[in-house]
Amino acid sequence: MTQPRAIILAGHGLNCERETAFALQQAGARTEIHHINDLASNAAALSDAQILAVPGGFSFGDHLGAGKAFASALNARLDDGINALVDRGGMALGICNGAQILLKTTLFAGAGVTLAPNAGGAYLCQWETLRVTAASPWLEGLSSFDCPIAHGEGRFAFAPQALDRLKAAGGDVLRYEGDRAPNGAEDALAGITAHQGRVLAMMPHPERALLSHHHPDFHRQSVLAKRDGRDLPEFGPTLKLFENAVAAL
């Protein structure tokens, strides 16, 4: 099987590129980390890529709003290449700050959605259970899984009728368990898609839940597994999210 080529963006405050690359490598992709400035000067590097990942971080220090400055750079310098990647059947993933960025690119043009400051104004850093509530190639075979969140602007907010349009298109793919969003997001949304589910913008961090020992309940689970005479898997369920992208391509 040919390995899909995945490009992970870096630079200007993004700081989860290595974890995201590692997750895609474990899933079977051939990964390359590119600083946005280098990629912009060699836009042809996108021409045979099949996956684009925009990782988490604090691009440009969240000045002007989370993700806005980085998205402006993408729209000005790499818009054609990114849209061509998706148009030819490629996949795109934005995680946390990456989601804030993707929502401000032309991939979500006209969607009427933004990521607003958390309800209550507090930065949130905790684990949450997510439910898969609509189909996406990224989420095939997953029903629920745990992920950490770490953001101050992660509240999905919609223009009038925009949420109804998203639901009609099947883009409302991830919700917080119990329909209770810790950040106050509309409809308890944690992630949405565009382009037939191939572009996923999600606030939780699946790359930070990749290995079983990342989970805060790992010690208890390892004691129970040892008592039962079984081994815990090396990887948690979020590996499947990245494996799904490779399988789809």
Short mmCIF file of all heavy atoms in Angstrom, two decimals, residues 73-74 82 111 138 161 173 189:
data_model
loop_
_atom_site.label_atom_id
_atom_site.label_comp_id
_atom_site.label_asym_id
_atom_site.label_seq_id
_atom_site.Cartn_x
_atom_site.Cartn_y
_atom_site.Cartn_z
N ALA A 73 -2.73 34.44 6.73
CA ALA A 73 -1.54 34.05 5.97
C ALA A 73 -1.84 32.89 5.04
O ALA A 73 -1.39 32.85 3.89
CB ALA A 73 -0.41 33.71 6.93
N LEU A 74 -2.60 31.90 5.53
CA LEU A 74 -2.96 30.77 4.67
C LEU A 74 -3.80 31.23 3.49
O LEU A 74 -3.57 30.81 2.35
CB LEU A 74 -3.73 29.72 5.48
CG LEU A 74 -2.95 28.85 6.46
CD1 LEU A 74 -3.87 27.80 7.07
CD2 LEU A 74 -1.78 28.16 5.79
N ILE A 82 -4.30 24.55 -0.86
CA ILE A 82 -5.09 23.83 0.15
C ILE A 82 -6.42 23.39 -0.43
O ILE A 82 -6.86 22.25 -0.23
CB ILE A 82 -5.28 24.71 1.40
CG1 ILE A 82 -3.94 24.90 2.11
CG2 ILE A 82 -6.31 24.11 2.34
CD1 ILE A 82 -3.98 25.90 3.25
N ALA A 111 -19.84 29.30 6.03
CA ALA A 111 -20.41 28.38 7.01
C ALA A 111 -21.09 29.11 8.16
O ALA A 111 -21.92 28.52 8.87
CB ALA A 111 -19.32 27.46 7.57
N TRP A 138 -13.02 10.68 8.89
CA TRP A 138 -12.10 10.74 10.02
C TRP A 138 -12.58 9.89 11.20
O TRP A 138 -11.77 9.39 11.98
CB TRP A 138 -11.93 12.17 10.51
CG TRP A 138 -11.11 13.05 9.63
CD1 TRP A 138 -11.57 13.95 8.71
CD2 TRP A 138 -9.68 13.15 9.60
NE1 TRP A 138 -10.52 14.59 8.10
CE2 TRP A 138 -9.35 14.12 8.63
CE3 TRP A 138 -8.66 12.51 10.29
CZ2 TRP A 138 -8.03 14.46 8.33
CZ3 TRP A 138 -7.34 12.83 10.01
CH2 TRP A 138 -7.04 13.80 9.04
N GLN A 161 -29.49 30.48 11.46
CA GLN A 161 -29.71 29.39 10.50
C GLN A 161 -28.46 28.62 10.11
O GLN A 161 -28.55 27.60 9.41
CB GLN A 161 -30.40 29.90 9.20
CG GLN A 161 -31.86 30.27 9.36
CD GLN A 161 -32.07 31.63 9.96
OE1 GLN A 161 -31.54 32.60 9.44
NE2 GLN A 161 -32.85 31.70 11.03
N VAL A 173 -20.45 16.65 13.77
CA VAL A 173 -19.93 15.29 13.95
C VAL A 173 -19.51 14.93 15.37
O VAL A 173 -19.50 13.76 15.74
CB VAL A 173 -18.74 15.03 13.00
CG1 VAL A 173 -19.19 15.06 11.55
CG2 VAL A 173 -17.62 16.04 13.25
N LEU A 189 -21.30 21.24 20.66
CA LEU A 189 -20.40 20.78 19.60
C LEU A 189 -18.93 20.91 20.00
O LEU A 189 -18.49 21.91 20.57
CB LEU A 189 -20.65 21.57 18.32
CG LEU A 189 -21.90 21.14 17.54
CD1 LEU A 189 -22.26 22.17 16.49
CD2 LEU A 189 -21.68 19.78 16.90
#
